Amino acid sequence: MNRRRIVASTVLTVLVAATLAPGARADEVELIRNGTFDAGTAPWWWTGNAPATVVDGRLCAEVPGGTTNPWDAIIGQNDLPLQAGESYEFSFDASASAPVGVLAKVQLQVEPWTERLSRPTVLGPEPQHFSYVFTSDVDSPVEQVAFQIGGSAQPWTLCLDNVSLTGGAPPPVYVPDTGPRVRVNQVGYLAHGPKNATVVTTATDPVAWRLADGGGTVVAEGMSSPRGVDAASGQNVHTIDFSGVTAAGTGYTLTADGETSYPFAIGDVYAALRSDALQFFYIQRSGIPIDGALVGQQYARAAGHVGVAPNRGDTDVPCQPTVCDYRLDVRGGWYDAGDHGKYVVNGGIATYQLLSTYERTLTAPTANPGALGDGTLRVPERGNGVPDVLDEARWELDFLLRMQVPAGQPLAGMAHHKVHDDNWTGLPLAPAADPMLRELHPPSTAATLNLAATAAQCARLFLPYDAAFADRCLTAARTAYAAAQANPDRLASEADGNGGGTYSDNNVSDEFYWAAAELFVTTGEARYLTDLRASPHHTGNVFGPNGFNWPDTAALGRLDLATVPNGLPADERQRVRDSVVAAADAYLETLRGQAYGLPLPANGYFWGATSNNINNTVVLATAFDLTGDAWYRDGALQGMDYIFGRNALNHSFVTGWGTKASHNQHSRMYGHQIDPNLPNPPAGSLAGGPNTGLQDPFAADLLEGCVGQFCYVDDIQSWSTNEVAINWNSALAWIASFLADQGDGTPQPAATCDVSYLRHGQWPNGFVAQVNLKNTGTRPIDGWTLAWSFTDGQKLGQAWAADVTQTGPTVTATNLRWNRRIEPGRSVTFGFTGTSPLANPAPELFRLNGLPC
């Protein structure tokens, strides 16, 4: 994620000084000299590449095409005095020969060019009037107004008039548009799931509510439940429960206390979210042209960072000075967030969650086994016989593998922490247009363990589809884990943040646990079991109230040990599973205490907290997968209500999902707010969300003093509340797949069966298995098909007493003529030989005629 400050050097053609007399008030004077250009061009200045003249009483500049950053071409005026605490109005008339975006700024006129005001401003052929108000936080005689007009591919003409900067303006007061006071999930609710809303009101007694369908007919009524003042928003609120309504439909509205909610649907409302959340990753890819035929022509672009000018990477990237003396080809992967950096630790958790999204289809009773198969997503690899989500994850895995220090070099086997530009670039900027030098940053223990963990996952999941790639992953995982053990305290520097985020992490014990767990699940080897048992995270609480994230990854190992078949003894495995359920119980308790119904505490609004909330819902969803207890599923659904609009701002944080949704997220690629020729983020893009830290100057100025859920603004300049990031969208992708699998919420029936799976013999890379299928119902089973998935790359050999076939990891056994009928209480048995180069755990989920046993 981004930490950036805009800097520039300019060629000034005209400079005129001005001062404010001691004791004078700022509102006594117009600070701009010659803002109407009646006296020519002085004292205005411009960069040498944008010469300006007065034409018909306006200052017009010929702006060159082919520049990279907004500050590559500027028109401005210097030596403007500001007073601390004074409010100013900056206004002007402007037009452009073609639709284009510029940045209108008031800032310090020398380094570090500290901004007092920065507003993206979209211009068109007709003159428009613009006015912005800000309050100065400094006394300074050396401020400037600056129109940053670079960054366009094509040349264009800018014309300005009536430029004014005056003091005495009413102080700016930001009041967010929160719409109706009845807050709902603007996407909707499952027909057979919880349905809750929150009402902002001054009332202390219950208020009446009514629910109307799309035709306006009232279908339910009731009274609200007062909740008092919500600590996460500072609002007095009530809650409404209308879960009893199950009729599917669109256009439902909820009315209470004289206000009517945004419309929403009831039914199977999340079917398309899985695909939308995952398409984000394809559009974020580095090193490949983005095909508009797959995702919309507005997102089509040239491949970024493939060594084609003006790019200076990523096919042959040097290290930072003194870090190493070799160069690496680190093409591919995903651009991390709003910048063009690629980071192993954030790529690690994002890759894990995509792989886990797929692995859940092999292990969870309510998962749709084919939902993420080949041809289900918008990726160019569709049709290659590999599940599309694995194709997407492989794009990042290949990059992670390329970041490993080569054999024979110092720190061989470790992973470089990150690769990015050697300085910050401006917004917007297409990846193929980035001219900055790319650099490899020092290897870190955290990055190395992220590589070890995700490569171990890769080894077991890709084995049915590409044995050579799986073997490459396993070799890299073993090598990385050993290198991390030899270098356990190589931590990323907190100061290494020029041109990219630091992603520093001073505690890597959680990464060691996660990597050991993944290697044990994949290989079953005792050395990894010994290491994970020695970790304090194996018995400690790894599910904190604020959720797991890239610096806190122990929960990832715990979740896989709980859900993926592995060699832990039964009692130890049950303890691991119980810990997940206990964490889910704690999140349910938190959810019940929040008036907006989310499993995040009132003090849990920080950078990227929307994803942390979703990760807590992932734990709730996993508890449902483990137990089948519906209250965990319901908790996960309620946690997502917050994401889609049941919050203090009445705002959905997912682009394209909800009446009022984020669409101006901070990104160099999705810069529509700055440049009308560029798109907004694609549907399914998750914004970081409310963040009381307000680390960026735009949010810090606009939202000072905000409470919890109000600490958010949908503006491209707010990188601390409104960025996109791969690890946030990976959380959304995981839960989106879970939600889609629930359909309209109708409980899935179970088959009346019991299955035992026994290995009678095992030798290097081979085994014999016997499967016993018992009818536990009261009626005969007349014709049966039993299906399961191997989770560790096992392959079927010869079978007997059933017709047994395998496609990818999925095995299907069908009765023969003589054993098709199974009477109540009776069993059939069949067997097969197989091969397995890895741990070969027994499958745990069996489906009889499509239903889980």
Side-chain angles (χ1 to χ4, degrees):
M1 281 160 284
N2 255 321
R3 318 292 199 276
R4 56 188 65 69
R5 177 71 65 199
I6 293 180
V7 296
S9 60
T10 60
V11 180
L12 305 186
T13 59
V14 184
L15 289 174
V16 176
T19 60
L20 185 67
R25 287 179 50 81
D27 58 357
E28 293 178 352
V29 296
E30 166 65 66
L31 299 183
I32 296 293
R33 284 91 64 202
N34 190 27
T36 60
F37 308 104
D38 294 337
T41 60
W44 292 89
W45 56 263
W46 47 85
T47 52
N49 61 350
T53 59
V54 176
V55 179
D56 296 331
R58 300 191 297 165
L59 184 69
C60 295
E62 297 302 320
V63 185
T67 56
T68 300
N69 298 299
W71 58 76
D72 290 342
I74 309 176
I75 290 177
Q77 186 175 127
N78 277 14
D79 299 319
L80 305 177
L82 299 182
Q83 287 184 319
E86 183 67 47
S87 295
Y88 298 85
E89 181 181 13
F90 178 36
S91 63
F92 54 91
D93 299 336
S95 66
S97 57
V100 70
V102 303
L103 291 177
K105 291 177 172 284
V106 180
Q107 63 185 24
L108 186 66
Q109 68 190 42
V110 296
E111 289 194 61
W113 319 99
T114 307
E115 299 169 357
R116 319 303 176 198
L117 172 78
S118 177
R119 291 292 185 272
T121 305
V122 176
L123 309 180
E126 294 298 321
Q128 300 175 73
H129 181 71
F130 301 91
S131 177
Y132 304 116
V133 177
F134 68 99
T135 299
S136 174
D137 59 356
V138 296
D139 288 311
S140 171
V142 287
E143 302 295 306
Q144 67 178 204
V145 296
F147 295 94
Q148 295 188 349
I149 54 180
S152 175
Q154 302 299 322
W156 60 285
T157 302
L158 166 73
C159 290
L160 294 169
D161 201 3
N162 300 319
V163 184
S164 172
L165 181 64
T166 58
V173 178
Y174 174 68
V175 179
D177 177 11
T178 57
R181 290 184 287 104
V182 181
R183 310 293 161 76
V184 298
N185 180 328
Q186 296 168 25
V187 174
Y189 304 86
L190 301 194
H192 302 281
K195 302 172 187 70
N196 295 276
T198 301
V199 183
V200 181
T201 177
T202 58
T204 56
D205 294 326
V207 299
W209 61 265
R210 65 181 185 275
L211 179 71
D213 64 17
T217 301
V218 175
V219 296
E221 297 177 286
M223 301 297 291
S224 67
S225 299
R227 297 291 296 266
V229 176
D230 171 42
S233 66
Q235 300 167 313
N236 188 74
V237 296
H238 294 198
T239 55
I240 293 172
D241 186 342
F242 55 103
S243 302
V245 178
T246 60
T250 60
Y252 278 95
T253 55
L254 182 65
T255 299
D257 200 32
E259 298 267 329
T260 300
S261 72
Y262 289 132
F264 56 89
I266 293 177
D268 182 0
V269 298
Y270 293 117
L273 182 62
R274 173 163 40 205
S275 178
D276 274 4
L278 284 165
Q279 78 164 345
F280 175 84
F281 293 92
Y282 170 56
I283 302 174
Q284 287 285 119
R285 284 191 192 184
S286 175
I288 186 175
I290 302 304
D291 185 355
L294 287 172
V295 292
Q297 293 301 328
Q298 68 271 38
Y299 299 108
R301 59 172 172 83
H305 299 97
V306 289
V308 177
N311 283 168
R312 300 164 66 185
D314 288 346
T315 58
D316 186 33
V317 181
C319 285
Q320 286 180 305
T322 74
V323 170
C324 75
D325 59 4
Y326 52 83
R327 306 170 76 95
L328 292 181
D329 178 351
V330 291
R331 73 182 76 191
W334 301 313
Y335 295 118
D336 175 70
D339 60 333
H340 297 142
K342 300 186 295 189
Y343 309 84
V344 171
V345 293
N346 221 36
I349 188 173
T351 303
Y352 161 84
Q353 289 194 298
L354 262 64
L355 293 173
S356 178
T357 301
Y358 170 73
E359 197 157 35
R360 181 181 171 273
T361 69
L362 310 180
T363 63
T366 65
N368 180 344
L372 292 166
D374 188 26
T376 58
L377 301 179
R378 288 159 272 181
V379 295
E381 297 86 359
R382 58 190 298 156
N384 66 354
V386 178
D388 287 346
V389 69
L390 292 187
D391 285 324
E392 191 56 70
R394 181 169 180 165
W395 195 260
E396 180 73 5
L397 282 164
D398 278 330
F399 160 72
L400 297 176
L401 294 171
R402 292 184 179 113
M403 291 290 280
Q404 194 162 29
V405 177
Q409 298 290 344
L411 304 179
M414 295 196 76
H416 286 276
H417 195 69
K418 56 181 181 171
V419 57
H420 57 65
D421 295 345
D422 66 348
N423 210 338
W424 288 112
T425 56
L427 280 77
L429 182 64
D434 177 13
M436 305 304 293
L437 175 68
R438 307 280 276 183
E439 292 179 326
L440 293 166
H441 292 246
S444 72
T445 307
T448 304
L449 291 166
N450 271 259
L451 172 60
T454 55
Q457 274 184 295
C458 163
R460 64 178 182 261
L461 294 177
F462 275 89
L463 189 55
Y465 302 103
D466 189 335
F469 182 62
D471 184 65
R472 180 184 169 208
C473 283
L474 186 56
T475 298
R478 294 183 192 276
T479 302
Y481 188 77
Q485 287 183 310
N487 300 275
D489 54 3
R490 286 191 172 268
L491 306 180
S493 170
E494 295 180 1
D496 187 13
N498 190 35
T502 59
Y503 284 100
S504 57
D505 184 358
N506 293 326
N507 182 356
V508 296
S509 63
D510 52 319
E511 283 86 358
F512 269 110
Y513 177 69
W514 173 32
E518 297 296 350
L519 279 160
F520 173 69
V521 170
T522 296
T523 69
E525 292 177 11
R527 54 176 167 162
Y528 302 121
L529 177 60
T530 297
D531 288 351
L532 73 86
R533 281 175 169 167
S535 170
H537 298 291
H538 191 51
T539 53
N541 179 23
V542 299
F543 300 105
N546 289 330
F548 60 84
N549 205 339
W550 66 264
D552 301 298
T553 58
L556 311 185
R558 185 76 64 83
L559 288 169
D560 276 5
L561 288 170
T563 59
V564 182
N566 62 77
L568 283 181
D571 58 341
E572 188 174 2
R573 180 88 182 288
Q574 189 59 50
R575 181 189 59 75
V576 168
R577 290 185 166 199
D578 289 345
S579 74
V580 175
V581 176
D585 288 335
Y587 292 144
L588 284 179
E589 187 66 24
T590 298
L591 181 152
R592 297 184 187 109
Q594 299 298 307
Y596 281 105
L598 69 162
L600 200 67
N603 64 354
Y605 297 90
F606 45 84
W607 200 321
T610 53
S611 72
N612 290 67
N613 172 67
I614 293 175
N615 285 335
N616 284 352
T617 70
V618 167
V619 176
L620 287 163
T622 303
F624 173 65
D625 286 342
L626 292 173
T627 67
D629 293 332
W631 51 83
Y632 296 119
R633 183 209 65 166
D634 291 352
L637 289 166
Q638 290 180 71
M640 294 306 293
D641 290 344
Y642 165 82
I643 297 296
F644 292 112
R646 188 191 172 199
N647 53 58
L649 289 168
N650 207 2
H651 184 96
S652 168
F653 298 109
V654 181
T655 305
W657 285 76
T659 301
K660 181 188 175 191
S662 300
H663 59 282
N664 290 318
Q665 289 99 312
H666 179 93
S667 168
R668 282 158 177 73
M669 290 186 287
Y670 318 125
H672 184 77
Q673 186 182 354
I674 296 176
D675 184 343
N677 302 298
L678 296 175
N680 291 117
S685 301
L686 178 68
N691 169 19
T692 57
L694 302 178
Q695 288 87 348
D696 68 84
F698 181 84
D701 179 62
L702 187 71
L703 304 175
E704 182 181 5
C706 61
V707 176
Q709 293 186 18
F710 281 104
C711 298
Y712 170 81
V713 59
D714 183 24
D715 193 286
I716 197 169
Q717 298 177 98
S718 181
W719 37 267
S720 69
T721 76
N722 199 41
E723 197 163 9
V724 292
I726 55 175
N727 65 312
W728 303 342
N729 247 77
S730 62
L732 179 63
W734 195 104
I735 201 65
S737 190
F738 172 85
L739 295 174
D741 285 341
Q742 307 313 307
D744 70 353
T746 301
Q748 185 184 79
T752 55
C753 54
D754 182 69
V755 177
S756 62
Y757 178 99
L758 300 173
R759 289 189 302 268
H760 284 298
Q762 190 161 341
W763 57 93
N765 295 337
F767 65 97
V768 175
Q770 178 177 292
V771 181
N772 181 269
L773 169 61
K774 182 178 181 180
N775 180 357
T776 60
T778 58
R779 296 180 179 180
I781 298 172
D782 190 12
W784 53 268
T785 296
L786 189 69
W788 69 90
S789 292
F790 286 130
T791 58
D792 215 24
Q794 299 99 316
K795 287 189 179 297
L796 178 70
Q798 298 295 317
W800 52 92
D803 182 9
V804 187
T805 60
Q806 181 174 8
T807 302
T810 302
V811 179
T812 303
T814 304
N815 63 266
L816 301 178
R817 189 184 332 179
W818 57 269
N819 64 359
R820 64 174 285 119
R821 186 176 178 88
I822 311 175
E823 298 294 336
R826 304 301 296 271
S827 301
V828 296
T829 299
F830 62 92
F832 59 89
T833 62
T835 59
S836 173
L838 299 175
N840 191 24
E844 296 171 350
L845 173 64
F846 295 87
R847 298 179 188 272
L848 175 62
N849 296 336
L851 298 178
C853 287

